[in-house]
Amino acid sequence: MLDRLALKLVKPATEAAAVRLSAQGLTADQATLAGFGFGMIAAIMIAWGLPTAGILPLLLNRALDGVDGALARLDQPTERGAFLDITLDFVFYGAIPLAFAAADPATNALAAAVLLAAFLATGTSFLAFAVMAEKRGLKSTAYPSKSFYYLGGLTEGTETILCFLAMCLWPEHFTTIAYVYALLCAVTVATRLVFGWKTFA
């Protein structure tokens, strides 16, 4: 829901950073891998019971996720790069709830499992629509710079990062945040199912 606005706000900064980093020899794939590394550091910090220490690497992960796309557009976007980007993004999204479960299994495990199931459903609806849209030659007018059909919803990347930040800032409320966000994900899946059913009729 907020991705379009967020992308518009950060676009000047990410493009400027991409120009500087490209001049230093950084490639889009290297930025993707570095961002993934920071995401895993964030997960490790959370699993060790240091969620506030995970905030900076988490933010660096998201910053590099924006920069890698800008770097790719400076040169030539590749299917390999797009595949790497989306795959590592989904690994990162799954690692954060898992890290909270590892930090306090007795309290957090069930809520983390529910949230991971919700992520599985949103990710499946997102990617399944993209595959079918590609077969039909459909293009997203809302996200024209994306390398595949980017189907939005109530819970997109921006909302997910805000959710993760809330969990890191208030880890004692992880279960509540996880259940509420899982419910919002369920709404996203429902709307995507309806949209996909109508689009591919």
Side-chain angles (χ1 to χ4, degrees), residues 72-165:
R73 289 188 292 274
L74 286 176
D75 186 14
Q76 179 63 44
T78 65
E79 292 178 350
R80 183 185 71 177
F83 168 76
L84 185 69
D85 183 29
I86 190 65
T87 301
L88 295 185
D89 273 352
F90 275 90
V91 174
F92 162 72
Y93 288 140
I96 299 303
L98 182 61
F100 277 101
D104 188 352
T107 303
N108 295 342
L110 179 58
V114 170
L115 184 57
L116 286 170
F119 282 177
L120 177 63
T122 55
T124 300
S125 64
F126 177 81
L127 295 175
F129 188 94
V131 170
M132 296 300 108
E134 182 68 23
K135 289 180 66 175
R136 292 198 174 196
L138 302 178
K139 301 296 180 183
S140 173
T141 56
Y143 302 96
S145 64
K146 297 293 185 180
S147 55
F148 53 89
Y149 199 110
Y150 191 94
L151 181 61
L154 182 60
T155 53
E156 299 175 341
T158 302
E159 290 84 2
T160 303
I161 297 310
L162 292 174
C163 172
F164 288 169
L165 289 174

Side-chain angles (χ1 to χ4, degrees), residues 16-89:
V19 170
R20 290 194 295 270
L21 292 170
S22 179
Q24 298 298 317
L26 187 72
T27 68
D29 289 349
Q30 288 170 343
T32 299
L33 291 169
F36 178 70
F38 281 119
M40 294 303 97
I41 290 171
I44 290 169
M45 292 296 101
I46 293 166
W48 282 352
L50 302 169
T52 54
I55 292 175
L56 179 58
L58 190 153
L59 292 175
L60 289 171
N61 167 275
R62 291 297 87 199
L64 285 167
D65 185 60
V67 169
D68 65 1
L71 279 167
R73 289 188 292 274
L74 286 176
D75 186 14
Q76 179 63 44
T78 65
E79 292 178 350
R80 183 185 71 177
F83 168 76
L84 185 69
D85 183 29
I86 190 65
T87 301
L88 295 185
D89 273 352

